[in-house]
């Protein structure tokens, strides 16, 4: 699924990747979030931060799966920073996921089991943990592969993003080796139908996933994306290169891809697993204060385009804890995305003045460039470039700030 990363617009669409047979994002007014009073736990792994309100044993099992997957995919991505380390929300059931992804319950269509999205606060993954262990591992593989694809480079086209994630979904992670590219009966069954074939040129130029209501088209898109990624990575022995390398590769014709699929000789790619496996399950579980768990989920909702739904819980946290700067900054971004620029600007200025601002406040206050605060000595307004530079210092991996600063510096 393709999305916009226009962080400068109050109506920007956030990065989404959803794994419910390719269910696409349905943008609609979200209901107000009503987070129940529950005990949420956190487990920090080497390459993730896991939060959820399932039992400690179940969360440790999920953390163990995450450690295996993150360890296997580590060679395909750069070293993680605090900004790029994903927050993984272990959804205990349908209700938890509905709170985070309400758009899938507002219209008919597939209900997701897992999702990946990114925004100003970083990278987010949500996984339902009440599914059977094998399916849970597959969902973790799929969503974490989306994360790795995005953190490793520029925005991939939808076919490549989904194709690579589908390859990883069906991978076998063994001791000392990983087997990638096993035939997937579901996809091969779809691909045998000429009536459902999407021309390769149309597939690779599609700006977004098909609408979720067109289930057959969605299934075809996923199946062909998997087949094309398989052809490039395994069939052409290109291996696990960067997404940019695969986009630039020589694409097969429709006849060549069909012949490859129907040959009945789809091979697999065996790659060595990184040497030292991590301790299973990450660190010890920590109980999160209620305000912290609510703020984390609200930040995920804001990054997911549901600012209006996230405002009530954030205001509730601030009503109880007026000095909670994390919740205040999340509220400031919610104001920004909700087209309330004056409230957003004053909130970001409050964060900056208090010395508690992250890259988010500096970046979005620079976006709201009109009437920037004046310097304390009265020598003039603070330049936009200064705020953008500070945002980059706080989060070097936050690409929008770099892009906006480059645009500013390129002006005559």
């Amino acid at each position: 699924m393709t999305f916009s990363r226009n962080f400068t617009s109050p109506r920007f669409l956030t990065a989404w990747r959803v794994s419910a047979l390719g269910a696409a994002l349905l943008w609609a007014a979200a209901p107000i979030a009503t987070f129940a009073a529950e005990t949420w736990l956190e487990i920090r792994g080497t390459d993730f931060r896991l939060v959820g309100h399932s039992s400690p044993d179940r969360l440790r099992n999920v953390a163990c799966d995450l450690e295996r997957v993150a360890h296997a995919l580590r060679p395909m991505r750069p070293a993680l920073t605090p900004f790029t380390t994903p927050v993984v929300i272990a959804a205990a059931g349908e209700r938890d996921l509905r709170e985070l992804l309400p758009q899938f319950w507002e219209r008919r269509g597939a209900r997701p089991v897992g999702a990946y999205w990114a925004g100003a606060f970083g990278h987010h993954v949500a996984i339902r943990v009440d599914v059977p262990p094998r399916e849970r591992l597959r969902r973790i593989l799929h969503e974490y592969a989306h994360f790795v694809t995005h953190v490793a480079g520029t925005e991939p086209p939808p076919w490549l993003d989904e194709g690579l994630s589908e390859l990883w979904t069906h991978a076998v992670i063994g001791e000392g080796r990983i087997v990638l590219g096993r035939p997937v009966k579901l996809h091969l069954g779809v691909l045998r139908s000429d009536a459902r074939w999407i021309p390769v040129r149309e597939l690779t130029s599609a700006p977004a996933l098909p609408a979720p209501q067109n289930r057959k088209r969605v299934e075809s898109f996923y199946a062909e994306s998997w087949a094309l990624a398989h052809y490039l990575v395994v069939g052409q022995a290109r291996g696990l290169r960067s997404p940019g390398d695969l986009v630039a590769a020589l694409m097969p014709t429709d006849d060549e891809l069909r012949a490859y699929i129907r040959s009945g000789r789809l091979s697999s790619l065996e790659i060595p697993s990184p040497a030292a496996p991590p301790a299973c399950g990450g660190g010890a579980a920590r109980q999160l204060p209620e305000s912290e768990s609510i703020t984390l989920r609200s930040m995920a909702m804001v990054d997911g385009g549901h600012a209006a739904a996230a405002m009530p819980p954030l205001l509730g946290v601030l009503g109880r804890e007026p000095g909670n700067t994390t919740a205040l900054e999340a509220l400031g971004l919610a104001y920004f995305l909700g087209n309330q620029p004056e409230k957003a600007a004053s909130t970001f200025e409050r964060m900056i003045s208090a010395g508690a601002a992250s890259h988010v406040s500096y970046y979005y206050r620079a976006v709201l460039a009109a009437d920037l605060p004046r310097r304390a000595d009265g020598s003039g307004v603070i330049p936009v470039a200064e705020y953008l530079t500070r945002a980059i210092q706080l989060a070097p991996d936050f690409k929008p700030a770099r892009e906006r600063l480059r645009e500013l510096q390129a002006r005559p």
Side-chain angles (χ1 to χ4, degrees):
M1 179 189 334
T2 297
F3 48 86
S4 167
R5 269 193 181 273
N6 180 9
F7 283 81
T8 65
S9 167
R11 293 293 187 192
F12 82 92
L13 302 182
T14 307
W16 281 90
R17 289 297 180 274
V18 179
S19 66
L21 285 176
L25 182 61
L26 301 175
W27 292 100
I32 293 174
T34 53
F35 295 139
E38 296 160 326
T39 299
W40 279 68
L41 303 176
E42 173 196 67
I43 296 177
R44 287 184 179 265
T46 307
D47 301 313
F48 61 86
R49 181 185 181 188
L50 174 66
V51 297
H53 68 94
S54 298
S55 68
D57 286 344
R58 175 175 277 180
L59 281 181
R60 277 190 283 270
N61 289 336
V62 175
C64 187
D65 286 344
L66 278 165
E67 289 284 11
R68 291 177 60 200
V69 170
H71 187 67
L73 274 70
R74 190 173 296 157
M76 269 64 78
R77 58 151 179 81
L80 297 184
T81 66
F83 177 72
T84 56
T85 299
V87 173
V88 182
I89 299 175
E94 181 175 327
R95 191 203 69 189
D96 283 356
L97 215 54
R98 183 173 182 172
E99 285 181 341
L100 294 171
L101 315 175
Q103 65 275 15
F104 291 102
W105 281 262
E106 290 162 0
R107 301 181 190 178
R108 291 183 179 179
R111 307 297 193 219
V113 175
Y116 159 78
W117 67 102
F121 289 114
H123 299 264
H124 311 272
V125 172
I127 298 289
R128 275 186 64 170
V129 298
D130 59 336
V131 296
R134 174 180 283 186
E135 177 63 16
R136 184 184 66 211
L137 178 60
R138 289 178 59 200
R139 291 304 98 201
I140 290 173
L141 273 164
H142 188 101
E143 306 308 340
Y144 202 89
H146 276 313
F147 159 69
V148 168
T149 300
H150 282 264
V151 81
T154 56
E155 298 304 326
W159 73 266
L160 181 60
D161 199 14
E162 297 301 341
L164 290 176
S165 285
E166 280 298 291
L167 278 181
W168 278 105
T169 298
H170 303 281
V172 177
I173 302 176
E175 190 170 338
R177 65 170 192 157
I178 301 167
V179 179
L180 201 66
R182 294 187 309 161
V184 180
K185 290 183 179 179
L186 176 64
H187 291 334
L188 291 174
V190 170
L191 293 168
R192 292 191 186 103
S193 171
D194 288 338
R196 295 174 60 178
W197 183 264
I198 302 172
V200 170
R201 187 181 296 272
E202 183 179 337
L203 178 78
T204 55
S205 63
L209 288 174
Q213 294 88 342
N214 192 344
R215 190 177 184 88
K216 288 188 176 181
R217 180 78 171 182
V218 171
E219 290 175 350
S220 296
F221 192 97
Y222 266 62
E224 283 191 44
S225 296
W226 167 82
L228 185 53
H230 196 293
Y231 175 90
L232 294 172
V233 172
V234 182
Q236 298 299 303
R238 297 186 66 85
L240 288 165
R241 304 190 179 193
S242 72
D245 289 337
L246 293 175
V247 171
L250 184 64
M251 292 294 167
T253 64
D254 289 291
D255 288 341
E256 288 172 336
L257 186 57
R258 278 195 177 105
Y260 178 73
I261 294 164
R262 293 172 178 173
S263 67
R265 298 188 299 275
L266 295 184
S267 58
S268 298
L269 176 68
E270 187 171 309
I271 56 178
S273 179
C280 185
R286 173 179 78 95
Q287 182 172 330
L288 292 175
E290 184 181 6
S291 60
E292 186 175 353
S293 72
I294 290 175
T295 301
L296 274 174
R297 285 174 283 164
S298 298
M299 291 164 69
M301 292 188 69
V302 170
D303 270 354
H306 298 292
M311 282 184 186
L314 287 171
L315 288 168
V317 170
L318 290 167
R320 296 186 296 274
E321 301 177 13
N324 190 318
T325 55
T326 305
L328 182 63
E329 193 165 54
L331 183 64
L333 185 52
Y335 284 143
F336 177 89
L337 299 177
N339 282 332
Q340 300 184 59
E342 291 183 0
K343 286 186 175 181
S346 64
T347 302
F348 296 140
E349 285 177 17
R350 180 178 165 189
M351 292 290 297
I352 292 167
S353 298
S358 78
H359 66 283
V360 172
S361 290
Y362 283 102
Y363 173 73
Y364 284 99
R365 187 61 188 90
V367 170
L368 296 164
D371 299 319
L372 278 172
R374 301 187 69 83
R375 295 191 184 279
D377 60 6
S379 60
V381 297
I382 299 173
V384 170
E386 190 171 313
Y387 274 3
L388 293 174
T389 300
R390 182 60 178 148
I392 294 167
Q393 290 171 346
L394 290 168
D397 304 288
F398 187 57
K399 296 176 185 177
R402 290 186 176 278
E403 293 168 0
R404 195 167 181 85
L405 185 59
R406 279 198 298 267
E407 292 172 1
L408 193 65
Q409 293 170 338
R411 293 176 184 173

